[in-house]
Amino acid sequence: MEKRIYTGLDFWSPNINIFRDPRWGRGHETYGEDPYLTGELASQFIMGLQNDSKYFKTIATSKHFAVHSGPEKLRHSFDVDVSERDLYETYLPAFRKTVKDAHVYSIMGAYNRFRGESCSAHDFLLNKLLREKWA
């Protein structure tokens, strides 16, 4: 039997980047700079898309996990190094809420680097935090 992929609707939304500086660009795609409000709005959006029936109608994607910051033009090479406090109080709460409470079915990694490693292959972000702690 042929394996079928991409047979449903997967929306690359919501964008839950914390928007702190207008020079980053594309801030109109986010919920703003408040981590609590971002998590609340994103969770309701996700639950509305995915519904709670036995079968998904659509799949939501929380993006860009997890410390998407910096100038848009440098997003593929920018290395973010925030304090532990800023990481846990600003950048992670909305993602945690969409994973733990809204049960988002898809996560898109950030394009940039975080503390020297690509966010899309970051052992701490993807394995220790997302898969082990929040799963």
Side-chain angles (χ1 to χ4, degrees):
M1 181 174 178
E2 179 185 340
K3 183 178 180 182
R4 298 177 69 201
I5 61 172
Y6 306 118
T7 58
L9 293 174
D10 185 351
F11 288 91
W12 292 352
S13 189
N15 180 340
I16 59 176
N17 301 336
I18 299 302
F19 188 67
R20 289 179 148 176
D21 186 333
R23 294 175 294 177
W24 292 347
R26 299 174 58 180
H28 59 282
E29 298 175 23
T30 74
Y31 294 119
E33 63 182 333
D34 184 293
Y36 175 79
L37 181 61
T38 296
E40 291 295 319
L41 291 171
S43 292
Q44 293 302 312
F45 181 87
I46 290 163
M47 290 187 287
L49 280 180
Q50 293 184 171
N51 71 43
D52 38 335
S53 71
K54 183 177 177 184
Y55 303 101
F56 287 118
K57 292 180 182 175
T58 58
I59 299 296
T61 303
S62 289
K63 63 180 193 164
H64 298 92
F65 188 63
V67 190
H68 187 73
S69 296
E72 183 71 14
K73 290 180 182 179
L74 302 176
R75 71 180 184 181
H76 296 284
S77 60
F78 192 76
D79 190 5
V80 178
D81 186 13
V82 297
S83 68
E84 286 294 297
R85 180 176 181 171
D86 207 15
L87 176 66
Y88 283 96
E89 290 183 4
T90 305
Y91 292 101
L92 295 179
F95 284 102
R96 184 182 186 284
K97 181 153 185 72
T98 63
V99 170
K100 299 284 282 177
D101 297 346
H103 308 289
V104 71
Y105 206 74
S106 177
I107 298 283
M108 179 189 288
Y111 301 109
N112 56 279
R113 299 173 77 72
F114 172 62
R115 297 180 180 162
E117 286 183 65
S118 168
C119 288
S120 295
H122 202 286
D123 184 55
F124 169 74
L125 292 175
L126 299 178
N127 293 318
K128 301 205 173 22
L129 194 62
L130 186 60
R131 290 187 176 111
E132 294 172 18
K133 217 172 175 189
W134 294 351

